[in-house]
Amino acid sequence: MSSEPQVRRRRVFYIPGYDPIPPRRYRELYRKESAEQAAISGYEINVLQAKAQARFGWNVSAQIEGAEVESAVEVLVWSDIVKGSMDQGILATYVQLIRTAAIYIGTGALFRLMRLRKGPVIAALYPVGFLLVQLGIAFMVAWGLGRVLALWHPWAAWGGLGVVPFILEWFRRLDGRFFAYYLMHDYAYSARYLGANPPELEARMAEFTAEIAQALQGDCDEVLVVGHSSGAHLGVSILADLIRGGQVPKHGPALSFLSLGQVVPMVSFLPRAHRLRADLAYLSARDEVTWVDVTAPGDGCAFALCDPVAVSGVAPKDKRWPLVISAAFTQTLSAERWRALRWRFFRLHFQYLCAFDRPGDYDYFRVTAGPLTLAARFRDRPPSKSRIERATSRYTSLAP
């Protein structure tokens, strides 16, 4: 390690996925999990109050691998946009269901996605199926109540339908357990413009690009962008815009991109995802950035070990990125921990941001608070042998 350039100061920009939770939850997650990982791995890490920053964040002081490092972590917030898109009534959600299913089936995207990984496709079908089950239960209760009312008068049987909205509302209030409405809004948001970004999201991404560009003018040693879940494809476009705009100084901080639990194909396989496909192709060939993509087959909500550039059918001849590696949950989590988490699908989707009790070469806290750049840390790491690179998308156009 002594021969590698040392990182003393780092800026970390975390891009969440489609998530309405307040950004302070990410700080508390980092605080809790970093303490656990430090105890397991034998290093020191402390989460401190953020210094003056434009957005929500926190500071990290760490002693890792014999070096003292300071990192400033910032959450690039778009949860307000997520909340706005989720502000739908029951009827509107069922309209979304019909439209989103029609888009993924009608374009052929659903069947091509199934050729990659069935897990995330099942996760996409789950809200459709469960919302239909809820509707079926509501109508069954209405039918039963109608039969009872018909004993009083035949026309009274129609009164049983009055119970349907109350049952559906009861299910909606329990969605914190089922996540059916949440996931339905998630997939509907991606499909709304057939893979193109909604205008409000494009505007927010431009703000994020400007903020990262400003950090690259600072005196830190590395600017690390972390994109989780849907945040991964936002990160691709943000960094592509940054480089195209000539906003990466030649002698500035190292620019790094860590994508975690990515679901890029859910968007890039849609017909109007021209912008994303062009950004994937562009970023994959740039030497201004180091891009490492981490997924795990145990994460049923991600397209595990699917090279997002290659499977989208837009890999250029001079492709360099991403380096696709596995977090290998079955190896990096003890048998006891794996049994406890195996069927907690949403919790597993966040495992990349958490502690591993049998850590391998991927450690989120070494990456974000350790003394090596992303490039140096994974320089000798070969890509996963089981990665999927076959071009699968029907749509590969880079311009409308």
Side-chain angles (χ1 to χ4, degrees), residues 138-205:
F139 277 113
M140 285 179 63
V141 174
W143 177 78
L145 179 60
R147 293 198 64 179
V148 173
L149 293 174
L151 296 176
W152 174 63
H153 190 282
W155 287 103
W158 291 99
L161 292 174
V163 77
V164 171
F166 294 100
I167 294 175
L168 293 179
E169 176 62 22
W170 179 75
F171 274 117
R172 191 180 69 84
R173 290 179 181 275
L174 292 177
D175 201 58
R177 298 181 184 178
F178 303 132
F179 299 104
Y181 279 83
Y182 163 69
L183 287 172
M184 190 69 257
H185 296 316
D186 185 354
Y187 297 122
Y189 191 74
S190 297
R192 180 181 174 187
Y193 293 105
L194 299 176
N197 291 326
E200 69 275 9
L201 184 57
E202 280 287 353
R204 188 64 54 85
M205 290 164 62

Side-chain angles (χ1 to χ4, degrees), residues 241-370:
D241 285 350
L242 192 75
I243 297 171
R244 281 197 197 98
Q247 299 183 83
V248 181
K250 289 184 179 180
H251 303 293
L255 178 61
S256 306
F257 179 38
L258 177 67
S259 52
L260 303 172
Q262 56 90 5
V263 291
V264 169
M266 288 297 297
V267 181
S268 66
F269 278 37
L270 292 172
R272 295 182 187 171
H274 313 290
R275 147 79 138 152
L276 176 57
R277 289 191 291 266
D279 294 340
L280 286 165
Y282 179 80
L283 195 68
S284 71
R286 304 305 301 185
D287 58 9
E288 294 93 337
V289 67
T290 295
W291 178 8
V292 177
D293 181 70
V294 183
T295 51
D299 176 11
C301 296
F303 282 89
L305 303 183
C306 293
D307 184 316
V309 181
V311 301
S312 298
V314 295
K317 292 182 179 179
D318 56 347
K319 177 180 178 294
R320 300 182 60 186
W321 311 111
L323 170 64
V324 177
I325 64 175
S326 176
F329 292 166
T330 56
Q331 300 173 35
T332 54
L333 296 171
S334 65
E336 181 181 2
R337 179 73 67 88
W338 175 245
R339 281 194 299 270
L341 296 177
R342 185 175 184 179
W343 303 112
R344 296 176 60 190
F345 300 113
F346 297 107
R347 168 60 178 79
L348 276 177
H349 193 46
F350 281 85
Q351 179 58 40
Y352 311 97
L353 310 176
C354 299
F356 292 87
D357 56 353
R358 294 177 57 189
D361 55 2
Y362 170 72
D363 176 334
Y364 182 62
F365 306 103
R366 288 184 190 270
V367 171
T368 56

